[in-house]
Amino acid sequence: MSHDDAPLKALLLPFDGGTLPWPAQGTIAFLRARDGWPLRQHPLHGLRCEQGFKPLADGLRAAGLEVEPELDGSGDASLVLVLPPRQRDEAQALLARAVELAAPGARVVAAVANDEGAKSRERDLQQLAGLAGSATKFHCRVFWTPPLDGSHDAALLQRWRAADAPRPILGGRYSSRPGVFAWDRIDAASALLAAQLPADLAGRGADLGAGWGYLADEVLARAPRVQALDLYEAEARALELARANLAPHASRVALGFHWHDVTTGLPEGGYDFIVSNPPFHAHDRGDRPELGQRFIEVAAQSLRRGGRLLLVANRHLPYEATLAAAFATQRVLAEGGGFKVIEAVRS
């Protein structure tokens, strides 16, 4: 549970001060939901949370709240709360879904940090459905619609929903969508690692932090002796893209797709090799080198003796000590563009 989640505090501010009423009954939909003490100040019996990022979803579930990667239904929520993400297309589509979820007479209430595009998102909601009020506090902006009566801009709603849909990228080779890491390109770090993938990878492997599936696709294209590959990814929308992007390999390789927080661990000793371009930012974009260090520790536990980890990381990140503690040997295979590719072998 977050103890200093400024957008969450701002989101609940109108209800804390009595500016807006908290619904006495009915469903409350919370999109991109996060747990935290400001939420606990209100009755939560009708709360349905949508959160596609597994660590945050796990936190909500641990708090006893109902949570799904994507809520179904439309037009039945007595209140819709939204914490829009930074990426514009994803955020606009989320606001459009919020309006779709709202029952007649319900409001949509959203909050965004000032440095995450608060004024732009406020203008978006105003353009879509009108605004009844706003407030600023905690370096954030909270804003809300009047009670909705179906008079929103339906054409704009559909355009925003379409702009967030999966679409072909890179000449149709892959499918992707806004809001996932490097959604419309191959990121330089993964490309550097792909170029170093050995053709003799074989047996059962895993991709930790698989994203929309580029690195896993390269493994299967370059190493024909791979028999099984498990993809672990914390962002549900990225994992669904990976499932589609790897479909051409499904007839010859056993593929597993796991919505999972790698930092919580994996089954031990089962993999012949692991590839990873681990994250080093938290969901709030703060630097978290310990995430990559934990990925390394989990990889070591999950590899069989003699198994290989192939890892790419920013050159400045302090991973060598963690690798030395967990693996028998390590060596740098390549450096370039501020990144390094490391191969480590488990004893």
Side-chain angles (χ1 to χ4, degrees), residues 233-289:
E233 171 55 43
E235 190 60 70
R237 60 199 273 131
L239 189 66
E240 288 308 304
L241 293 165
R243 190 186 302 273
N245 288 327
L246 294 190
H249 301 285
S251 62
R252 69 173 186 87
V253 180
L255 298 173
F257 298 91
H258 307 278
W259 185 43
H260 185 72
D261 177 5
V262 169
T263 67
T264 63
L266 296 174
E268 295 188 6
Y271 291 114
D272 299 297
F273 68 90
I274 288 174
V275 299
S276 186
N277 178 5
F280 60 94
H281 291 298
H283 75 273
D284 59 3
R285 303 183 66 83
D287 281 352
R288 292 277 303 278

Side-chain angles (χ1 to χ4, degrees), residues 7 12 18 35 83 113 119 126 166 181 184 187 199 206 267 279 285 291 294 296 298-299 306 313 316 339 343:
L12 279 302
D35 184 30
L83 290 173
K119 288 185 178 180
Q126 182 172 27
F181 173 69
D184 59 352
D187 73 281
R285 303 183 66 83
L291 287 175
R294 179 59 182 154
I296 291 167
V298 169
H316 72 275
F339 303 104
E343 180 187 60

Side-chain angles (χ1 to χ4, degrees), residues 1-7 9 37:
M1 181 173 69
S2 173
H3 296 286
D4 190 26
D5 188 330
K9 288 193 292 183
W37 65 262

Side-chain angles (χ1 to χ4, degrees), residues 41-60:
Q41 311 308 304
H42 303 276
L44 302 180
H45 55 271
L47 188 68
R48 298 180 66 215
C49 298
E50 175 178 295
Q51 178 53 259
F53 186 56
K54 194 62 162 61
L56 296 180
D58 286 345
L60 290 160

Side-chain angles (χ1 to χ4, degrees), residues 32-303:
R32 279 289 182 175
R34 301 196 288 265
D35 184 30
W37 65 262
L39 192 62
R40 308 293 186 82
Q41 311 308 304
H42 303 276
L44 302 180
H45 55 271
L47 188 68
R48 298 180 66 215
C49 298
E50 175 178 295
Q51 178 53 259
F53 186 56
K54 194 62 162 61
L56 296 180
D58 286 345
L60 290 160
R61 192 167 287 114
L65 299 173
E66 179 185 347
V67 58
E68 298 292 340
E70 184 168 342
L71 293 179
D72 55 10
S74 64
D76 59 358
S78 57
L79 171 66
V80 185
L81 304 172
V82 194
L83 290 173
R86 173 187 289 256
Q87 207 283 332
R88 184 196 65 184
D89 291 335
E90 183 188 5
Q92 289 177 337
L94 200 66
L95 292 175
R97 284 195 56 239
V99 170
E100 287 182 315
L101 286 168
R107 298 178 189 267
V108 172
V109 183
V112 183
N114 292 339
D115 60 0
E116 296 273 336
K119 288 185 178 180
S120 294
R121 299 295 80 78
E122 182 180 31
R123 286 193 297 269
D124 288 340
L125 188 57
Q126 182 172 27
Q127 185 181 7
L128 179 64
L131 284 186
S134 67
T136 58
K137 198 169 185 179
F138 314 121
H139 304 288
C140 298
R141 183 175 293 265
V142 56
F143 41 95
W144 55 91
T145 67
L148 297 177
D149 60 5
S151 62
H152 60 270
D153 188 331
L156 183 63
L157 185 149
Q158 291 305 318
R159 284 203 305 272
W160 284 357
R161 293 281 270 136
D164 184 49
R167 83 281 308 267
I169 63 167
L170 302 173
R173 181 180 175 189
Y174 299 108
S175 177
S176 190
R177 66 189 298 192
V180 302
F181 173 69
W183 80 270
D184 59 352
R185 67 190 189 280
I186 297 169
D187 73 281
S190 292
L192 185 66
L193 176 53
Q196 300 299 317
L197 290 171
D200 65 347
L201 291 177
R204 184 174 177 228
D207 182 353
L208 309 188
W212 50 260
Y214 164 73
L215 201 53
D217 181 63
E218 289 287 348
V219 167
L220 297 176
R222 294 167 184 262
R225 292 168 54 209
V226 173
Q227 297 173 325
L229 189 64
D230 287 330
L231 284 73
Y232 294 92
E233 171 55 43
E235 190 60 70
R237 60 199 273 131
L239 189 66
E240 288 308 304
L241 293 165
R243 190 186 302 273
N245 288 327
L246 294 190
H249 301 285
S251 62
R252 69 173 186 87
V253 180
L255 298 173
F257 298 91
H258 307 278
W259 185 43
H260 185 72
D261 177 5
V262 169
T263 67
T264 63
L266 296 174
E268 295 188 6
Y271 291 114
D272 299 297
F273 68 90
I274 288 174
V275 299
S276 186
N277 178 5
F280 60 94
H281 291 298
H283 75 273
D284 59 3
R285 303 183 66 83
D287 281 352
R288 292 277 303 278
E290 67 270 21
L291 287 175
Q293 292 166 339
R294 179 59 182 154
F295 268 55
I296 291 167
E297 293 169 349
V298 169
Q301 295 162 3
S302 303
L303 285 164

